[in-house]
């Protein structure tokens, strides 16, 4: 199986036109475009099955939960918008969830929550609940715990093939790069070593730092385009092969 991996294309700034790359599956690990626009782009751009994990930017100018529903409603049959869901294609099972952080990764959840709540655009650009109130760190902590429970449960289930996890946020500090420091970095990665070591592949985005590395028996991959004129190590031909 040939898997094409993209994230953080940020089509809202500059529409990406991918090269003609033969792929059996396309993984989109979030921040493709705002709201359902990334889904409409994927509908038209790819003919192979698409595994689409929403990022934080998909939710900008929208509702935390409502955005996912709008994305699903806009998706063509071959585009799978997934949140805490499993999709099996051939001998590969994809476990997919945004994996918002719980702000614990720098060791002081309260301080990190307060810092990120003050400086991160997510808390200005995303709404929550039916009354469209401003997003709060507590909303994302709850989302994080739900996704961690989902992944832990599914990774415990026996599977004869390969397991490929897709999240938007980075699962480990070791693959998150060093663009952000202090408590702000708590918004970019989790410390999910016990989950990573149970997966075969893990694709993510969010950090604007592309990597392809083996840790604990798992291959961790991010292929992030980033903002215009930003060098994230992006490879428009990024294919990995799964046997």
């Amino acid at each position: 199986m040939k898997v094409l991996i993209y994230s953080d294309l940020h089509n809202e700034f500059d529409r990406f036109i991918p090269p003609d790359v033969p792929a059996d599956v396309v993984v989109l690990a979030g921040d493709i475009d705002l709201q359902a626009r990334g889904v409409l782009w994927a509908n038209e751009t790819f003919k192979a099955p698409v595994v689409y994990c929403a990022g934080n930017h998909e939710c900008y100018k929208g509702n935390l939960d409502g955005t996912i529903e709008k994305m699903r409603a806009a998706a063509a049959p071959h585009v799978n918008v997934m949140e805490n869901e499993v999709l099996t294609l051939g001998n590969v099972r994809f476990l997919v969830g945004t994996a918002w952080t719980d702000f614990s990764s720098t060791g002081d959840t309260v301080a990190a929550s307060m810092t990120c709540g003050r400086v991160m655009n997510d808390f200005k650009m995303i709404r929550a609940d039916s009354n469209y109130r401003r997003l709060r760190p507590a909303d994302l902590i709850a989302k994080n715990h739900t996704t961690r429970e989902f992944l832990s449960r599914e990774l415990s289930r026996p599977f004869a093939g390969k397991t490929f996890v897709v999240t938007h946020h980075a699962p480990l500090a070791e693959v998150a790069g060093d663009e952000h420091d202090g408590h702000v970095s708590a918004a970019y990665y989790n410390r999910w070593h016990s989950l990573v070591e149970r997966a075969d592949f893990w694709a993510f985005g969010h950090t604007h730092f592309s990597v392809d590395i083996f840790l604990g028996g798992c291959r961790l991959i991010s292929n992030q385009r980033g903002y215009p004129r930003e060098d994230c190590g992006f490879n428009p031909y990024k294919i990995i092969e799964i046997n």
Side-chain angles (χ1 to χ4, degrees), residues 28-177:
L28 300 177
D31 282 10
I32 306 305
D33 205 331
L34 304 183
Q35 296 285 298
R37 294 189 334 204
V39 174
L40 297 174
W41 173 82
N43 290 348
E44 300 170 358
T45 303
F46 303 109
K47 293 190 169 46
V50 176
V51 175
Y52 194 141
C53 173
N56 54 314
H57 277 254
E58 268 82 4
C59 297
Y60 276 22
K61 300 184 179 180
N63 180 278
L64 184 62
D65 294 314
T67 294
I68 302 297
E69 296 309 312
K70 288 180 180 179
M71 291 173 66
R72 285 177 174 148
H78 70 291
V79 176
N80 304 277
V81 177
M82 301 172 64
E83 172 66 355
N84 302 331
E85 292 172 287
V86 183
L87 177 67
T88 301
L89 297 172
N91 69 329
V92 181
R93 62 171 175 176
F94 293 88
L95 312 182
V96 185
T98 300
W100 300 87
T101 73
D102 65 357
F103 307 101
S104 67
S105 57
T106 53
D108 189 334
T109 302
V110 173
S113 296
M114 291 178 65
T115 299
C116 295
R118 186 174 65 253
V119 305
M120 295 291 292
N121 284 333
D122 294 4
F123 299 99
K124 302 179 181 69
M125 298 295 293
I126 303 173
R127 299 291 168 164
D129 284 350
S130 57
N131 61 359
Y132 275 66
R133 62 167 172 79
R134 280 200 173 193
L135 186 70
R136 301 166 184 159
D139 299 316
L140 302 186
I141 291 171
K143 289 286 186 186
N144 168 279
H145 293 172
T146 298
T147 298
R148 177 164 189 156
E149 290 167 6
F150 157 74
L151 291 174
S152 181
R153 181 177 65 250
E154 295 301 328
L155 288 167
S156 296
R157 298 183 193 275
F159 184 72
K162 301 294 186 180
T163 297
F164 196 129
V165 178
V166 183
T167 60
H168 180 60
H169 294 66
L172 303 175
E174 292 87 335
V175 294

Side-chain angles (χ1 to χ4, degrees), residues 157-232:
R157 298 183 193 275
F159 184 72
K162 301 294 186 180
T163 297
F164 196 129
V165 178
V166 183
T167 60
H168 180 60
H169 294 66
L172 303 175
E174 292 87 335
V175 294
D178 56 6
E179 180 180 353
H180 305 282
D181 56 13
H183 286 308
V184 172
S185 66
Y188 287 88
Y189 59 84
N190 292 295
R191 293 190 182 273
W192 285 357
H193 297 81
S194 64
L195 299 180
V196 168
E197 65 188 19
R198 292 151 65 189
D200 299 298
F201 301 88
W202 196 304
F204 64 95
H206 194 48
T207 61
H208 290 204
F209 176 74
S210 297
V211 300
D212 188 341
I213 188 172
F214 282 89
L215 288 174
C218 179
R219 184 176 178 182
L220 295 110
I221 311 119
S222 69
N223 186 38
Q224 309 182 42
R225 182 182 182 223
Y227 299 127
R229 296 177 296 281
E230 184 180 22
D231 182 6
C232 302

